[in-house]
Amino acid sequence: MVAHSISLRHLRAYKLPHFASSRYIGSTTTRNAPKTTRSATLPELSTSTAGSDPPKSWLTRKVETSPTARRIFFNLTNLLGYGSEKQVAGRRALAFYEQVCAVMPDQESDFWQNECSLPPTFQSWFTITNLHVWMLTVRLRALPPEHGKAYQQALVDHFFIDIEDRIRTVLQPPAEPTKPYTFESSFYTNPNAPPPDAMTPDGKPKPLSRAPDRIVTRQMKIFKEQWTGLSLSFDLGLVKGDMEMAGAVWRNLLGARGAQGIIYHDPASPSSTPTFRRAVNLVGGEVVNVAKVDLEKEEVTDDGSGVHDFAASEADKYLAYPEVILDVVGYVRRELDRLGKVGDVDIISGEWTRLKFGRVK
């Protein structure tokens, strides 16, 4: 277990995310953000995750071969602000998010989907990615103040820009594939993906309208609340101990299954006996007055996450929960301890790949 004296230095307040921040990109439109963001990425952050690298441009070849062109180029970028600490933090944080945090649901999909019984939905992908963003944020809080806040904010900014981009793709998939903000995930399936034969009479893809901003905003509020709730509950577990951490894992990752009791199979009862559900995202968004919420109605309302209590025929799955929770708590503690040994210099200007997470088991 990480010592409390080390853990407490990580518990610094950080700001809420800016859903469409333009501090690291040239446009606030997330569909156009990847092109602008990647063109500003420094060479050490250009590791490709999709096969061979594209051919180098004339400017890149010129800068690499000519010391004079290199000096002029970097002087110009410094004048434009690309060399400022905030801009460097934004570019490096994109690599932290894309190649350290966001890849973990896909890399450990067998554990999360089979042992934790999480469905292959975007909600599950968000929850797992959110956990790893929190773990990395814990380490970034321990950076010197002049760097820590910039890196924390940049990481969360990229997280929510990516979330908004994915929400729009899930709600209203484009007729023709578009370049995502980060990458396409195989962890979840898009229930709204158009069938391959969705073509117009002249053989072109049917044009689709843009996802309504009203629905996107509502979903972003829900995910912001989940980000805040997971962060606070795991922060508390970080300080109070493994029992509190186990509770955070059960509520936030495992869906609090069994909170209202466990139904066992009874041959004498009708097969239509309803199963218990957990209450998630009451009324979908910010709850102003909880006393006015119809809890009984909300408890049986499908929240769309795909996570629900096990049926009576699957009651034995609850027996594996203590071991699963132990595995996740051990993983979180182990990774936080490892991240604490990664030097500040590596994070700010060195070998950032040391931040990459290991296996859960």
Side-chain angles (χ1 to χ4, degrees):
M1 182 185 298
V2 182
H4 284 184
S5 59
I6 298 178
S7 302
L8 287 173
R9 73 192 180 103
H10 296 150
L11 294 179
R12 298 175 182 170
Y14 46 92
K15 296 182 287 183
L16 293 176
H18 300 294
F19 295 146
S21 175
S22 59
R23 287 178 292 173
Y24 321 112
I25 56 181
S27 171
T28 56
T29 303
T30 56
R31 284 294 180 193
N32 298 327
K35 183 181 297 184
T36 308
T37 303
R38 294 178 189 278
S39 65
T41 303
L42 291 177
E44 73 263 26
L45 301 184
S46 61
T47 303
S48 176
T49 59
S52 59
D53 294 331
K56 294 180 180 179
S57 66
W58 172 86
L59 178 60
T60 300
R61 296 194 302 270
K62 190 69 175 177
V63 170
E64 289 179 345
T65 57
S66 172
T68 301
R70 179 189 293 269
R71 183 175 64 257
I72 295 174
F73 176 78
F74 282 108
N75 287 339
L76 177 61
T77 56
N78 288 334
L79 288 175
L80 295 175
Y82 286 106
S84 66
E85 291 183 359
K86 183 177 291 186
Q87 289 291 332
V88 172
R91 293 192 294 270
R92 290 182 71 85
L94 175 59
F96 298 171
Y97 170 71
E98 182 178 11
Q99 301 182 42
V100 177
C101 300
V103 296
M104 293 311 296
D106 293 83
Q107 291 184 6
E108 292 286 275
S109 61
D110 181 68
F111 174 81
W112 298 112
Q113 293 184 2
N114 296 328
E115 298 192 37
C116 297
S117 298
L118 295 181
T121 61
F122 176 65
Q123 171 67 63
S124 298
W125 185 93
F126 170 86
T127 302
I128 299 166
T129 304
N130 194 13
L131 172 67
H132 290 87
V133 168
W134 171 79
M135 285 195 286
L136 185 54
T137 302
V138 170
R139 175 60 186 90
L140 297 180
R141 294 178 201 164
L143 290 175
E146 63 271 20
H147 297 287
K149 290 184 178 180
Y151 275 87
Q152 291 172 60
Q153 187 65 64
L155 178 65
V156 176
D157 281 349
H158 288 305
F159 180 31
F160 277 90
I161 293 173
D162 189 36
I163 294 304
E164 181 177 350
D165 184 64
R166 291 176 183 272
I167 287 175
R168 293 186 182 278
T169 302
V170 169
L171 291 176
Q172 190 62 278
E176 296 182 358
T178 58
K179 188 175 182 181
Y181 185 68
T182 51
F183 58 88
E184 292 184 3
S185 172
S186 61
F187 182 90
Y188 62 91
T189 56
N190 189 342
N192 299 318
D197 58 350
M199 298 289 181
T200 59
D202 57 356
K204 297 182 179 180
K206 291 182 178 179
L208 298 175
S209 60
R210 190 168 180 264
D213 288 337
R214 173 180 56 82
I215 300 179
V216 173
T217 300
R218 178 176 178 271
Q219 292 298 319
M220 291 296 288
K221 287 182 179 180
I222 292 174
F223 286 124
K224 189 199 78 170
E225 290 179 356
Q226 292 183 8
W227 168 76
T228 305
L230 183 143
S231 300
L232 292 175
S233 61
F234 273 85
D235 277 349
L236 187 60
L238 188 65
V239 175
K240 297 192 67 174
D242 288 348
M243 289 183 63
E244 189 69 37
M245 182 76 75
V249 170
W250 175 62
R251 294 189 304 272
N252 292 274
L253 295 177
L254 302 181
R257 290 184 174 115
Q260 301 182 47
I262 300 175
I263 297 179
Y264 291 95
H265 180 65
D266 183 2
S269 64
S271 57
S272 60
T273 301
T275 59
F276 289 123
R277 288 192 60 86
R278 66 184 181 103
V280 183
N281 299 327
L282 294 178
V283 304
E286 297 178 351
V287 178
V288 179
N289 190 344
V290 179
K292 294 184 179 180
V293 176
D294 188 344
L295 294 178
E296 293 184 0
K297 179 181 179 181
E298 292 293 337
E299 285 169 355
V300 296
T301 300
D302 192 344
D303 66 346
S305 69
V307 179
H308 55 81
D309 281 2
F310 296 121
S313 59
E314 300 176 310
D316 289 345
K317 289 187 176 182
Y318 288 109
L319 298 177
Y321 261 28
E323 184 176 351
V324 170
I325 293 174
L326 181 63
D327 289 337
V328 178
V329 171
Y331 170 68
V332 171
R333 294 290 187 183
R334 184 173 66 250
E335 288 301 303
L336 288 179
D337 183 60
R338 182 189 61 80
L339 290 173
K341 298 176 182 177
V342 178
D344 293 347
V345 174
D346 285 329
I347 297 175
I348 297 171
S349 60
E351 189 54 57
W352 59 268
T353 55
R354 293 185 59 195
L355 295 170
K356 289 188 174 182
F357 294 100
R359 303 291 302 273
V360 178
K361 296 177 63 176

